Amino acid sequence: QVQLVESGGGNVQPGGSLRLSCAASGTIYGIYNMEWHRQVPGKQREWVAISTSFGSTQYIDSVRGRFTISRDDGKKTVYLQMNSLQPDDTANYYCKFDVRWEINTVNSFWGQGIQVTVSP
């Protein structure tokens, strides 16, 4: 099986920065899209950013220019550099990978989530 583990969350003041990481382990033949999502209790999970295997990136409007997604395929890891954090960025952040984990099988796998809290 494939497991994703996030790290780097925590508490930060408005205007501060955090860098999230998400590393995959297990039997992996290839990783395609790597994504970050976030969720506030009582609300739907929200897509935040994507890094494709073709090298492109996209962001939700509310984070564009402040957040940067990057990947290291050799380390099976995706990063989310979050700058100029605002209280509205407070959420549980989840990574999601599209993984070829059997020769002819590609599935999406999620991390367990990591809390980011932005407050004075």
Side-chain angles (χ1 to χ4, degrees):
Q1 262 293 11
V2 175
Q3 291 186 330
L4 305 185
V5 177
E6 295 110 336
S7 60
N11 298 325
V12 65
Q13 293 185 342
S17 298
L18 284 174
R19 188 193 194 207
L20 303 182
S21 300
C22 175
S25 62
T27 301
I28 296 172
Y29 293 97
I31 302 176
Y32 302 101
N33 293 337
M34 295 179 170
E35 302 176 30
W36 287 99
H37 298 243
R38 65 187 180 186
Q39 187 170 24
V40 175
K43 294 188 177 181
Q44 282 193 327
R45 191 169 295 185
E46 173 183 62
W47 170 81
V48 175
I50 186 171
S51 171
T52 75
S53 56
F54 299 105
S56 65
T57 58
Q58 294 182 39
Y59 302 89
I60 192 173
D61 285 348
S62 60
V63 309
R64 189 176 294 114
R66 300 188 296 121
F67 290 11
T68 302
I69 188 171
S70 60
R71 61 194 286 164
D72 185 331
D73 288 304
K75 294 182 178 180
K76 303 183 181 69
T77 298
V78 69
Y79 306 96
L80 188 67
Q81 178 67 44
M82 304 185 294
N83 298 330
S84 302
L85 281 160
Q86 303 165 5
D88 284 349
D89 296 316
T90 295
N92 211 22
Y93 283 72
Y94 298 86
C95 58
K96 173 177 169 280
F97 288 10
D98 295 332
V99 177
R100 182 178 298 279
W101 62 283
E102 292 183 342
I103 293 297
N104 295 313
T105 304
V106 178
N107 288 111
S108 296
F109 293 88
W110 290 85
Q112 79 285 356
I114 191 163
Q115 181 66 34
V116 171
T117 302
V118 185
S119 64

